[in-house]
Amino acid sequence: MATNKLNDNKLKALLKNLPEKETWIADGEGLALRMQRGGNLSWYFRYRLGGRNSKLERLFIGKYPDLPLAAARKLKDKCRNWLADNKDPRFMLDRITQEALKPVTVKDALEYWLNNYAVHNRKNHEKHRSQLIAHIYPKIGAMPLSMAERRHWLDALENISRKGSPVAAGYVLQMCKQALRYCDRRGYATSTALERLTIPDVGKKQEKDDRVLTDSELSDLLKWLNTNRIQPYYRDLIKLMLVFCARTKEVRLSTWDEWDFDAKLWTVPKDNSKNGIRITRPIPDRVIPWLVDMRQHNNGPFILGEFKEGTTVSQYGRILCKRLKHKEPWTLHNLRHTFITKNADLGAAPHVVELLAGHELGGVFSIYNRGEYLSEKLQVLNCYLDRLELLAEPQKNVIAATFIRAL
């Protein structure tokens, strides 16, 4: 079958000497030029979907000279490839035309992942969104995803590091990579611009935080909690974290209906736990009078009396060590590391401490062992309270001095 029958000189000659009636001239392999009265020259791709006996389809692909010969042949090759993949060129061409007219932007792709995946599977999805709004959308959010090259992404991500947040830059990179892979798997949009980038290319990995407070530092903190220099909200928050090895979020979002004073149990619902599991912690007898006093002073559903955002609480925790004049920095999360480490030194069973911390037991324990170990947990909590009592008031040796004193 002859191909490439037309050339530019022949097409220019046709424009000067148009036929009086409609005429078709084939270029080969399905590409043909339709000439009409009035000087219209149009490119068509002619094909059959079901073999020789099926209907002949004519697909308009552009006008000449707006669509030059070379470009028409490239488009014809695309149509032939679609046919080879059992795809109708008419539908495929319409699809890419729509994408060209209204392309999927970088923001569209990331929002697609946020709304269809992160909202349902990530507890911190709002943090993801806020980081994208702050760092990615202003830089490249409006760009068509297909035109956002690696250099564009690098400029946006490296800008986070330049502002002093290299760990956040790596975090955002990993998030965006997952989002683009999700879009590709769903057939929404495709981009491989981030595939070869790693965290060191834009920032740095978060260092492992294994900080444990010394007995002297714990003593400073406990004495600080007994002064008037700390807001009641943060005083109660830190006490609850110290006593129960609770995460900041578990305490921030805790409401009074989670606390059963008759059964002496605090049950953290799945929605408030990091791992999406319910956490049950016994309440030691000596802590209940303090909790009852808190309830009398704190109005509303929240045990701390009000709601504060996680970022606000974390910021306060980062400066607390400076107020106590501790040389090595620590955060509120390090109170959990301290609880786990100190109880290991006291001989507590590791699996009981892990359950108090809200960690899932590994291996077959996570599948078959559903025990709450309430008596063992209570023993660990009481033992640790004894330790805190000695550090808080070594002369009096009374836990009430710190945990039950009138607020």
Side-chain angles (χ1 to χ4, degrees), residues 19-38:
E20 295 183 359
K21 60 180 181 178
E22 180 180 303
T23 304
W24 288 81
I25 299 179
D27 182 59
E29 295 184 328
L31 181 62
L33 185 69
R34 181 187 182 188
M35 297 178 291
Q36 299 171 282
R37 292 181 181 180

Side-chain angles (χ1 to χ4, degrees), residues 8-31:
D8 289 325
N9 290 332
K10 189 172 182 178
L11 289 171
K12 291 176 182 178
L14 289 172
L15 280 175
K16 296 179 181 179
N17 300 286
L18 291 172
E20 295 183 359
K21 60 180 181 178
E22 180 180 303
T23 304
W24 288 81
I25 299 179
D27 182 59
E29 295 184 328
L31 181 62

